[in-house]
Structure formats: structure tokens, C-alpha cells
Amino acid sequence: MAEFAASDMVAGLEENLFSLLEKQAAQFDDPHLPLIDLSSGSPRQPTPPDIIASLQAAAAQPENHEYPSFWGKPALRRAIADFYQRQYGVTLDPDSEIAVFQGAHIAVNGLPRALLNPGEVLISTDPCYPLYRSAARQANADFYGIPLEARHDFLPDFQAVPAQIAARAGLLLLNYPHNPTGALATPALFAAALAFARQHHVPLVHDFAYATLGSQRGEQPISLLAQPDAKAWGVEIYTLSKSFLMAGWRIGFAVGNASIIAAFKKLHTHSYSTVYGAVQDAAITALGLPSEQIGQLTECWHQRRVQVLAKLAELRWPVRSRQGTFFLWLATPSGMTGKQFAALLLAQAHLLVAPGEGFGPAGEHYIRISLTAETDLIMRALDRVAALKLFG
């Protein structure tokens, strides 16, 4: 059989961190010490019954058996506009300022391709969600990550961007609450990001994947679009995966600057497929849920975080308590890199975690663990770590 080489672009892509972790997990099958996977970021709680019932009813409607519109149903775009008005006080035009697609991954990958030219630079953070780096490569652009430090609460300093990088900037991409560090945005952060965007005339994209996951119960992470003049320069990507426990449903949307949305929509018609109509109807139901009910959907992770932080304190494992998302960003034992520590945990404790280097060079001395596993499973995993006597 003939073998063919991948294109230079594909050959140059880094191996997907999470597919690598999947491969590692598949190699460990010990009935005496079963593997515990704390690397996954998929919510495991059931989707609310009202949303499921809406999908079931919509699946029987003949109009949902036809090809859906690339733009999303008008009723869904109106529901998104109403949701943003209610949650964040942001007014949106459903026709020109909203794009609907199959999960946030589509926008994270597609917006750079819609906006960047070859030789320009996608500026984000280091560490960052690994897809941002590959999105830059697929857009024929370069990537620059602003180094994040714990002493600055893992918030970027835009003044630290080298002048030669800023001169080639084509897109600024942020993600707060931040994956992997859990850092939370402040109005000052977004004001500085918008000032950078204005100074260098670059679009600003905010990946708001963890929009309802602050560091404690009742804390509402802030939206970029709710900041003064934000819609003039940026868009925000929103997904129903985490906020509404709909990870497998694959639906998300982007809202904001009409010219950015128009560029993405044009790319969307050439590159991606549409969202099944019944899923769109279910999304309308989700977005219409009362704010109190939406907040309750994240309750289990807040409870878990409190218990896990207490356990980490017992182990004398240093950790920042103020972290959003459903992950924890943890420093490695002295003298160990994240990669070395992750390998040790896998070999000796049959515990799978994400090494910090997978998110960028600045993550070298960290690992990321997920709070989506059941509480007793996480506690069992931490007991295994305790038995290794690596802290204190």
C-alpha cells in the first residue's frame, strides 16, 4: 500500500496533549491498582432534564430533519442575545453580532484563520490551552505567549510584549477563567487588553469557556463584552459544554464585533458544518433557564474544590486557593518538572495528570488536575500521592 506524507502544515503540528494522555491511559490496566484519570476536562454530571426533554421533542419535528442554516436558527440567535442582556447587560444584534457553531473548538480554530495573515502573530499567554498554538500554525501565523507568573496572579503584562512582536500582531487571544492556571480576569486586565488592541489595531478574542466557574460558590466571572468599548474591538466565545453540562452536544457561539463575526461566518460556510436543529432547540431551552438554576449546575465542583483544597493542605502541597474553572494548577515537588512528576505519578501511583509543559514552557514546574472525577476517586488519588511522601 502506498504511503503519503502529511502536508508541511500538518507535519509541523505538535502532538495533541490530550490524545497523548489518552494513549498513556490505555497502557495502564492493573486490576490491583486501577488507573485514576485526573487529566480529563469533560463534565460528568447529567445534563438537566428540561434540556434533554427539549431535544427529544425537537427530534420529532420534521423541520429538524433538513439541513440547518449556517447562521443558526433566528430563535436561537435571539435567545443568545437575550441571555447576554440578562447575564451581562450586553446588547447584541442577533443578525450581525452572533455566530453559532458546533462547539467552541470551531471558533478557537476558525477565528485565527478568519483574521490572521501569513507572517502575523497570534498573541496569547504562556501557559495556554494548547489548541491556541496549533490554531496559529493552521493560520500560517506565528505564536507568542506572554509569560504568566504566580506572583502576578497569572495575568499577562502587555507591556512585556516585545516591540517586534507587537508590530506584527494580528490577533490577541485570551481565556479567563484561565485554563490551565485557574486565574480570574479583572476589569483592569480587560482594560489593558483593550488598550493594547487599540494601540496596535488588532482584534481581541476572549475564550469564555468557563464562564460560570469562579473560584467559589456564587462568584460570577466577568465578561469581556461587559467592559466599556469592548464590542468595538472584540468578540467572546461561549460554549454550553461546561455552563450547561452539554459537553457532548457540541454547540457554542461567538458574540461581539460585527466585522469579526462576518469574517468568521464567511469562513464557516466554507470550512465547517452546521448544528443539528434539535440541538439548537435544546440550546434555546438551556439559555432560558433561570440564573439561579444555571449557578446550581456548577455546585458540585465548588464543593469538590473545598474538599480537595483541604486535603492538599493536609499533604502540605502548596496551592493557590483562588482558582476558577474545574481544574487545579499545582506546583510540582522541588527539583521536578511537570513532565517528570506526571511520569512518576503514572508509574508509581497509577495516576494520570496533565504535565504543565503541555500548556507551554512557563508551565514547566506545574501539573493540572481535574475536579470532574467523583470526589471519592480524587481523594483516593491524593491518598496515593500522600503515600509517596513527596511533600512536607
Side-chain angles (χ1 to χ4, degrees), residues 122-196:
L122 188 162
I123 298 175
S124 189
T125 61
D126 174 16
C128 69
Y129 184 49
L131 182 62
Y132 301 165
R133 297 193 295 269
S134 63
R137 180 167 182 83
Q138 290 177 69
N140 241 342
D142 294 322
F143 178 88
Y144 178 80
I146 304 171
L148 303 182
E149 300 179 49
R151 63 195 176 110
H152 295 141
D153 295 324
F154 295 107
L155 299 177
D157 176 6
F158 300 103
Q159 299 301 315
V161 177
Q164 65 271 26
I165 296 293
R168 294 168 52 214
L171 174 63
L172 176 59
L173 173 56
L174 299 178
N175 158 228
Y176 286 87
H178 187 254
N179 179 12
T181 70
L184 295 159
T186 63
L189 166 69
F190 284 146
L194 287 163
F196 183 90

Side-chain angles (χ1 to χ4, degrees), residues 36 40 54 68 71 115 133 143 150 163 169 190 194 209 211 236 243 258 261 302 326 331 355 358 367-368 373 379:
I36 298 177
S40 169
S54 178
W71 317 129
L115 297 169
R133 297 193 295 269
F143 178 88
F190 284 146
L194 287 163
E236 193 155 70
S243 300
I261 294 295
H302 291 308
F326 47 44
I367 63 164
R368 192 197 73 178
M379 293 302 179

Side-chain angles (χ1 to χ4, degrees), residues 65-124:
H65 301 176
E66 301 173 10
Y67 286 126
S69 165
F70 276 106
W71 317 129
K73 292 187 176 189
L76 174 56
R77 286 184 275 116
R78 169 48 58 194
I80 292 167
D82 290 346
F83 174 77
Y84 253 73
Q85 183 68 61
R86 192 170 66 249
Q87 291 292 113
Y88 305 113
V90 174
T91 301
L92 296 166
D93 182 326
D95 294 323
S96 65
E97 295 178 339
I98 296 173
V100 176
F101 36 78
Q102 288 183 330
H105 189 113
I106 297 290
V108 168
N109 180 271
L111 279 164
R113 292 202 294 127
L115 297 169
L116 285 163
N117 291 306
E120 290 184 330
V121 181
L122 188 162
I123 298 175
S124 189

Side-chain angles (χ1 to χ4, degrees), residues 16-76:
N16 185 289
L17 170 64
F18 305 106
S19 65
L20 281 172
L21 291 171
E22 264 188 41
K23 289 177 187 174
Q24 287 183 330
Q27 295 169 7
F28 279 79
D29 184 20
D30 184 347
H32 302 294
L33 192 64
L35 180 78
I36 298 177
D37 184 356
L38 297 187
S39 69
S40 169
S42 180
R44 292 168 184 166
Q45 283 68 40
T47 304
D50 288 353
I51 300 175
I52 295 172
S54 178
L55 174 75
Q56 291 170 331
Q61 300 304 313
E63 63 267 25
N64 285 329
H65 301 176
E66 301 173 10
Y67 286 126
S69 165
F70 276 106
W71 317 129
K73 292 187 176 189
L76 174 56

